[in-house]
Amino acid sequence: MTTTKMSYDEALDRFEPVLGLETHVELGTASKMFCGCRTMFGAPPNTQVCPTCLALPGSLPVANAQAIESTIRIGLALNCSIAEWCRFARKNYFYPDMPKNYQISQYDEPLCFDGYIDVEVDGETVRIEIERVHLEEDTGKSTHVGGATGRIHGADYSIVDYNRAGIPLVEIVTKPIPGADRLAPEVARAYVTELREIMRSLGVSDVRMEEGSLRCDVNVSLMPRGSSEWGTRTETKNVNSLRSVERAVRSEIERQGAVLADGGRIVQETRHFHEDTGTTTSGRSKEEAQDYRYFPEPDLVPIAPDPAWVAELKAALPELPSVKRKRLQAEWGLSDLDMQAMHNADAIDLVEATVAAGAPAADARKWWMGELARRANESGTALAELPITPAHIARVTELVASGALNDKLAREVLEGVLNGEGTPDEVVDKRGLKIVNDEGELSAIIDEVLAANADAAEKVRSGKIAAVGALVGGVMKASRGKADAARARVLILEKLGVSE
Amino acid sequence: MSLIQKSAAELGALVAAGEVSAVEVAEAHLDRIAEVEPKINAFLHVDREVTLGQARAVDERLRSGERLGPLAGVPIAHKDIFTTRDMPTTAASRILEGWRPPYDATVTRRLREAGLVILGKTNLDEFAMGSSTENSAYGPTRNPWDLDKIPGGSSGGSSAAVAAYQAPLSTGTDTGGSIRQPAAVTGIVGMKPTYGGSSRYGLIAFASSLDTPGPFARNVLDAALLHEAFSGHDPLDSTSIDAPVPSVVEAARQGDVAGLRVGVVKEFGGEGFQPGVQARFNEAVALLESLGAKVVEISCPSFATALPAYYLIAPSECSSNLARFDAMRYGLRVGDDGTRSAEEVMALTRAAGFGPEVKRRIMLGTYALSSGYYDAYYGQAQKVRTVIAREFEAAYHQVDVLISPTTPTTAFPIGERADDPMAMYLADLCTIPSNLAGNAAISVPCGLADEDGLPVGLQIMAPVLGDDRCYRVAAAVEKALESRWGGPLLKEAPAL
Amino acid sequence: MSAITRDEVAHLARLSRLALTDDELDHYATQLDAIIESVAKVAEVAAEDVPPSSHALPLTNVFRADEVRQSLTPEQALSGAPAVEDDRFRVPRILGEEA
Ligand SMILES: [Zn+2]
């Protein structure tokens, strides 16, 4: 295990990276891939298991129609061809969290193949080619007990929960991606981000990386500049956040660069990514390669999707995120930079929903990307997790537009909603946040302020109109912010007999 | 005539008429089991109380007016490869000793729904791998005709139980002949339905693309009644056929072969076939002709490669199917002393828990699926499978059924082939092609071989979902032969 | 020449998770050699243009609706387990990484 590293820039000066990404997406079906057990995340151990997903003797699998459909939709969204006829295959290897000691997967006959998606990085469009999209089943989960670290090495024994075993898993494999060059880490991240959004728009998975419903293996190899022969690749597992995807690629480029620069050679192996250090460590060497003895799964019959049905699924695909972003950007008249910022903040859907609820795009964007983004950032939650809805924001913008609220009051209303004090209208009522636009009341406040600030009033009367600001400020203070400042200014000037 | 000598149809009628209770019928058979079991060893598990509980429940259902099928109250011996909630299920392996399944196989469930009463679980070759029941981890079963001979296999406990009047009916599974061969060598009827015609859910898998549950009985009609009781589409088995069960009971009642075209498989005869077997088979051919069938000879040259293809496909699938027996979730665990790894415990457990034939086949299958060998072995065997299916198809354009001796020889002595796998495998020579093609096939008694006085079976093969043809021909042969013999062949068997 | 060597049999035993003794390896090597030689007869069938059959019957598209069915209780699920801890299956320490 080497920890020597080369700086990223130095590595990139000498070598060119080739990427590959294998992404596993847990489908959000109600039941498992081959049995009727629930797929709820976080259920008590071994409560979502049956003879089939525990591999009890005699049990048999039956494929989940929804999972097949979702996989085909994913393939179509990724511009893949859909197999006319394909089979499941058994991948044979012994491992305690895999109940049958074979995984039902697909081998040389994936359901979807030969697709692509385009991602944008730094204003450039990069086409990522998709090798295959296939359907398989997830494994159970082991907890390692004893030993110092709680990790697999040095553990005394393990305990296994099979709730996750048999949850449908879609594997999306890219073709090798050369040419990303210095942007390789960003390209990898942008690709996974795009995949995640496509899954969301298709509604096939909740794609929560922190819950493992989207998992990524990152393949990296380096070749010397000027060479056209790809180097030996490593496969880094456990890459479970967007940031980690980027870091893992960077770290592996730095590590491999150092090894190669020292005249060493890269071993084809599985590596593990560690969130804490941002580095990878060696796992099992693939040179003592497993012989998985794939063969067609005899317990399941071949899949032959009806082309007419596939065409229907294709026609019914939702607008894909990249297309939608372009459309919204045009509709909202935003710059690339603004749009990118909203994309990075996961704000696009929220703004869209807010606009749909009646708010002008500029206002919707202002609130989500300003006040609310700040709040989310402070509390360390995602924008979408804030306890406020697009409809709330739309109502607040409406109140501002009608003059019932000003910006300051609107912020107070939002705070009230975030505190759980109710809808914007309820917060306005409870906190008494309406602008004072009763002329009589306002007039009375102005009279008080003028009386108390005779000097300033005199300056204004004598033509120093700029001094009116202090008087307006006094009115705002006296009204505790509820006065309409513009109206107050007009009334003050009127009372002082000054015109602009 | 005592209850144990009656046919299943007769017992069902007596129970339905209220002339005898399911409990009385079960008791008579449990008594018979207790009496002859020390000689036969057909059962791995008998639990008098559980069985009588089932029988009482059937009597209660009948009393409450529930309409059950024609076999309600009839006892049955159940091959110990089907899961049962109320009895252990071991597949005759040490690795599953004492395992209590938390679920019923579909076949088990349908037996219960039809009101059959399960007498116990019958012995078999471990995981159904074998042709003699000598591969059971719990000792061999003996042939009621000659206690020194094998009862066939793998469903040898089920064939012996029926031949020894311990049960009127039993279940079996047929992967390469495991129902037909034991039926032939014990002088009873055994049917392998069309693949997918009966559910594999809850049947502990040996070779998934071949395994087929089927019935044993002492006569053709009883076999058809049982066939109908547990067959038919099962949504829990993806390979189950979603079509009505062929009208097997009607065919068994008809038993008429006039005008039927019968093909004699040319390759299954002559050298390697015991003269007494060949003689009885030839007589059966003549009998069919005399009954109005049109008999022709059909050559199926590829059948010669069925045996090698089978001994690649079945072990390949079994090497994967049996991987789940790993000491982690259920069954035996050996060598877990707190220092050994899961990997080591798996290997020690599997070495201790599996018998030699199972280990042989697992390794053979692992070999055939390995990269570098796959194409030459497993891949080529699958192609041979296609060739055989096509040859069947061509034959069924010319004839309605094909016939052959069920086995090349009568029951052989226990121990004779135990350490000679290749000789053992020959027992399934004639039965394997139908498994590879997924076709229906039945074995019906056709007499005793002159040399040893042991039963000979006639195999009748039919295309996919042609199960009724098997019963129709078998019933005609049975009727004609029994009138010639003056009763069933089993009355020639020595008393136990 | 034998079809399979003793070393190959040892490799197969490892792949199959079977802890065999040296004597057993010798014994199985002899038997497997004979069996493999015999089953190699499948090569004699001219089947170049013949598609392989992985299944007995040509069924396709057998699916179940995405509906939840009753699972086992944890007690049932764990009833046959050699060792249990915290409603989980307790297994000896795991050496290799997940594949
Ligand atoms: Zn399940």
Side-chain angles (χ1 to χ4, degrees), chain B residues 90-95 124-130 135-137 205-206 314-316 318-323 325 350-351 353-366 421 425, chain C residues 16 18 20 28 31-32:
Chain B
T90 68
S93 181
R94 284 281 169 227
I95 213 157
L124 63 149
D125 286 300
E126 186 179 5
F127 287 105
M129 298 178 201
N135 296 333
S136 167
F206 160 21
S316 294
C318 101
S319 71
S320 176
N321 283 333
L322 270 59
F325 300 100
R350 288 163 63 81
F354 290 141
E357 180 64 19
V358 172
K359 289 180 198 166
R360 252 191 310 269
R361 294 200 196 190
I362 287 174
M363 285 191 285
L364 178 59
T366 302
Y425 297 169
Chain C
S16 315
L18 291 168
L20 300 184
Y28 287 122
Q31 287 185 331
L32 287 174

Side-chain angles (χ1 to χ4, degrees), chain A residues 32 35-37 48-50 53:
Chain A
K32 291 187 179 179
C35 64
C37 291
Q48 298 179 163
V49 293
C50 73
C53 57

Side-chain angles (χ1 to χ4, degrees), chain B residues 207-417:
Chain B
S208 310
S209 77
L210 300 162
D211 294 343
T212 314
F216 285 103
R218 286 192 293 266
N219 67 70
V220 175
L221 177 62
D222 282 0
L225 287 167
L226 179 56
H227 182 134
E228 198 170 71
F230 68 63
S231 300
H233 182 240
D234 178 13
L236 297 178
D237 175 358
S238 304
T239 60
S240 164
I241 299 173
D242 192 0
V245 180
S247 44
V248 292
V249 172
E250 196 189 317
R253 291 194 202 277
Q254 269 174 357
D256 165 26
V257 295
L260 202 77
R261 299 169 303 163
V262 175
V264 175
V265 179
K266 183 181 160 208
E267 283 74 13
F268 290 154
E271 199 193 333
F273 282 71
Q274 189 179 320
V277 169
Q278 189 70 57
R280 293 295 89 80
F281 175 71
N282 293 345
E283 285 169 18
V285 173
L287 176 71
L288 282 166
E289 270 185 316
S290 75
L291 293 172
K294 196 172 163 302
V295 181
V296 295
E297 192 177 69
I298 299 273
S299 177
C300 301
S302 74
F303 285 12
T305 46
L307 194 70
Y310 173 85
Y311 276 98
L312 288 165
I313 292 168
S316 294
E317 292 183 9
C318 101
S319 71
S320 176
N321 283 333
L322 270 59
R324 68 187 59 193
F325 300 100
D326 65 356
M328 299 295 116
R329 290 161 301 282
Y330 44 78
L332 186 68
R333 180 181 285 186
V334 170
D336 183 13
D337 59 2
T339 69
R340 290 201 178 95
S341 68
E343 228 170 282
E344 291 169 307
V345 170
M346 284 183 190
L348 287 168
T349 302
R350 288 163 63 81
F354 290 141
E357 180 64 19
V358 172
K359 289 180 198 166
R360 252 191 310 269
R361 294 200 196 190
I362 287 174
M363 285 191 285
L364 178 59
T366 302
Y367 177 81
L369 290 174
S370 295
S371 65
Y373 296 109
Y374 183 97
D375 290 340
Y377 292 104
Y378 181 73
Q380 178 69 11
Q382 288 201 325
K383 290 180 172 188
V384 170
R385 189 168 188 178
T386 307
V387 170
I388 287 167
R390 286 178 177 177
E391 223 159 73
F392 264 119
E393 211 176 307
Y396 291 130
H397 276 119
Q398 300 172 60
V399 296
D400 299 305
V401 296
L402 290 167
I403 60 169
S404 76
T406 307
T407 59
T409 69
T410 55
F412 46 87
I414 290 173
E416 185 186 78
R417 304 185 189 179

